[in-house]
Amino acid sequence: MGMAVDGLISGLNTTQLIDSLMQAEAIPQTLLKNKVTDSTTYITAMQALNTKVAALADAAAKLAKPAGTDLHTASTTSTSVTATAGTGAVDGTIDFTVDKLAQAQVTVTGPLTQWPDQPPTLTFVAADGTVKQVTAGSSSLADVAAAINQAGVGVSATQVAAGLDPGTGQQLYRLQLSSTKTGSAGAFTAYRGTPADVTAGTATNLLSDPGAAQVRAAQDAQLTLWAGTGAAQTVTSSTNTFTGVLPGVTVSVSSVSSTPVTLTVARDDKGLTAAASSLVSSVNDIFTLIAQKQAVTTSTDSAGGTVVTGGAFTGDSTTRDVNQKLVDAISSPIGGVSPSTYGISIQRDGTVTFDQNVFATAMAADPDAVKSALTTIAQRVADASTAASDTYTGSLSLRIKGEQSTVKDLNDQITDWDTRLSDRRSTLEKTYANLEVQLQQLQSQSSWLTGQLSSLPTASAS
């Protein structure tokens, strides 16, 4: 707030006068503020567009890769066999039986109150011949189990209660030893004694102790292809998942079946249709956004005149260029063939549509040509989108950065104007205050002169 200098002497409404003068002085700053508002609206709209174009660049690049259109479904005739088809899968069917499921080896010791050897030393020999020694801190079965679990020998140990000793009434335990992975490669032999004892033949195989048993043998899962024919062939896996039966296909089994299971791999037309539709929808979303922001609106002002208002992108060459490049990417011919042959068509209003029926007809006629065309279109869309949205080189990204820089400069100028206008108001207030002082002095002089004149002797009539 400025100081009140309303004209006590002059009778002028000085505050109102200064406010009017300041309003005129502030016109350049008001214009700058209007520019900032317009630029901020533009930046917000550009960022929304850039986000959509960047998402399109990612999605289109994925679709353009070999895996993007190499889509297949895999199904089986058994609820206990599941299959998924990925990149490189080949359409066709195959029959097999599930002969075995993968399992881990499980061995248990006989009932013990404590480990029979002091110090407790065990040697584990793996299926591949690897020899590892484990020594426990005490003969307590809990300590022996802990030592095995910490040794990283591919075996886990658990202490299991096994009733009471009939003679002493002491608690008995068994040690259950399980291979940490399924399949024959996880098989192991456990000995009481050191590796040297094993080599010398003086170590005791745990299974030879009284009451010890192998509960389950290590076993690979096994399928037989074309079972019961001269071409029968077994396939094994250390887990219940097979990746080598058919290229690009993963098969998981959960129960044994002597009845042949049929696995069918087929082209995923539904998945391909969805991928093409999604690409077109994303491109169309961008065309719609640009069209909305380019649109000019008309309204009527209070005087009845027509007011024309441009959108954030009206007359903007950057967004117009992005729009045109995306139109070219999705609608240009592929090897002389229009994308409309595959159901992708540009409309008069600038939008793009996808016709699933036309796409399905083209797929039925020549699926490889459709997949190849879709890959080409996706790559063109990915290239155009990346050229627009790349963080460092994209035309939209660079335009946004340029406009943000402009807004910063404008805000700096607005701040400078704040100081300039404040100084101007102070000057005006001082000028009008001085005016009042001078008028007061004149008024005082006038009063004094009037007094002096009135005190002069009047001339007497002669």
Side-chain angles (χ1 to χ4, degrees):
M1 276 293 291
M3 58 193 225
V5 291
D6 277 346
L8 297 170
I9 310 301
S10 65
L12 291 171
N13 186 339
T14 316
T15 303
Q16 200 172 352
L17 191 60
I18 290 173
D19 285 346
S20 297
L21 289 168
M22 286 307 301
Q23 220 168 348
E25 295 270 0
I27 287 172
Q29 189 193 43
T30 305
L31 292 173
L32 290 174
K33 285 179 177 175
N34 292 343
K35 275 187 191 172
V36 168
T37 302
D38 291 344
S39 285
T40 305
T41 303
Y42 177 73
I43 289 167
T44 304
M46 282 290 265
Q47 284 171 331
L49 174 63
N50 203 30
T51 300
K52 283 184 186 289
V53 176
L56 173 62
D58 287 343
K62 280 180 190 155
L63 182 56
K65 286 182 176 147
T69 53
D70 189 14
L71 305 179
H72 304 267
T73 57
S75 58
T76 75
T77 54
S78 168
T79 54
S80 63
V81 180
T82 58
T84 54
T87 309
V90 180
D91 300 340
T93 64
I94 194 168
D95 293 344
F96 55 82
T97 55
V98 182
D99 310 326
K100 297 178 188 172
L101 294 180
Q103 58 189 32
Q105 177 178 329
V106 178
T107 300
V108 293
T109 66
L112 302 165
T113 52
Q114 61 175 28
W115 197 255
D117 311 315
Q118 188 63 30
T121 302
L122 293 91
T123 298
F124 290 88
V125 181
D128 65 0
T130 305
V131 178
K132 288 189 180 173
Q133 177 180 321
V134 177
T135 304
S138 82
S139 55
S140 124
L141 289 183
D143 279 357
V144 174
I148 294 168
N149 288 330
Q150 289 164 15
V153 294
V155 176
S156 65
T158 311
Q159 179 183 293
V160 183
L164 301 175
D165 185 315
T168 64
Q170 276 187 293
Q171 178 66 53
L172 293 169
Y173 295 96
R174 290 175 185 263
L175 211 56
Q176 176 175 295
L177 305 174
S178 311
S179 52
T180 54
K181 59 183 181 182
T182 57
S184 56
F188 64 90
T189 311
Y191 295 91
R192 283 167 45 206
T194 65
D197 296 333
V198 173
T199 305
T202 56
T204 306
N205 186 324
L206 275 187
L207 284 173
S208 64
D209 281 343
Q214 179 147 297
V215 178
R216 201 162 60 217
Q219 175 177 287
D220 285 338
Q222 181 180 300
L223 308 178
T224 301
L225 309 180
W226 313 294
T229 73
Q233 176 188 325
T234 60
V235 181
T236 60
S237 170
S238 61
T239 68
N240 288 323
T241 298
F242 294 79
T243 54
V245 180
L246 289 174
V249 179
T250 302
V251 178
S252 295
V253 297
S254 58
S255 69
V256 172
S257 164
S258 55
T259 308
V261 175
T262 302
L263 164 66
T264 303
V265 180
R267 194 179 65 238
D268 185 7
D269 285 2
K270 192 183 279 185
L272 270 169
T273 305
S277 178
S278 175
L279 179 71
V280 170
S281 175
S282 297
V283 172
N284 209 33
D285 198 18
I286 288 163
F287 289 163
T288 304
L289 176 62
I290 292 174
Q292 284 172 348
K293 299 290 181 185
Q294 281 178 339
V296 174
T297 55
T298 55
S299 56
T300 309
D301 62 16
S302 54
T306 303
V307 179
V308 179
T309 310
F313 297 160
T314 304
D316 182 62
S317 60
T318 306
T319 48
R320 194 166 56 237
D321 182 58
V322 169
N323 196 93
Q324 188 55 52
K325 281 180 176 156
L326 280 174
V327 167
D328 293 344
I330 204 155
S331 65
S332 294
I334 305 109
V337 179
S338 168
S340 60
T341 311
Y342 312 115
I344 299 170
S345 309
I346 286 283
Q347 305 301 299
R348 280 185 182 176
D349 63 359
T351 58
V352 57
T353 58
F354 178 68
D355 188 321
Q356 291 194 12
N357 295 330
V358 173
F359 187 81
T361 304
M363 279 293 288
D366 190 346
D368 288 338
V370 178
K371 281 158 79 167
S372 173
L374 189 55
T375 299
T376 302
I377 292 170
Q379 188 60 59
R380 293 192 315 209
V381 169
D383 291 343
S385 306
T386 303
S389 66
D390 183 87
T391 308
Y392 303 105
T393 60
S395 57
L396 293 174
S397 303
L398 292 173
R399 189 74 182 83
I400 290 166
K401 284 173 190 164
E403 201 63 26
Q404 285 170 332
S405 176
T406 300
V407 167
K408 185 181 177 301
D409 289 344
L410 289 171
N411 280 325
D412 288 345
Q413 290 179 50
I414 289 166
T415 304
D416 289 344
W417 267 100
D418 283 339
T419 308
R420 202 182 303 176
L421 291 170
S422 174
D423 291 346
R424 182 66 182 135
R425 180 177 281 276
S426 296
T427 303
L428 286 170
E429 286 172 349
K430 282 175 189 164
T431 302
Y432 280 99
N434 287 335
L435 175 69
E436 295 298 324
V437 171
Q438 287 169 356
L439 283 173
Q440 190 172 21
Q441 287 173 349
L442 288 171
Q443 197 173 41
S444 299
Q445 284 177 347
S446 170
S447 301
W448 180 79
L449 283 169
T450 305
Q452 289 296 313
L453 288 168
S454 64
S455 68
L456 286 174
T458 53
S460 57
S462 47

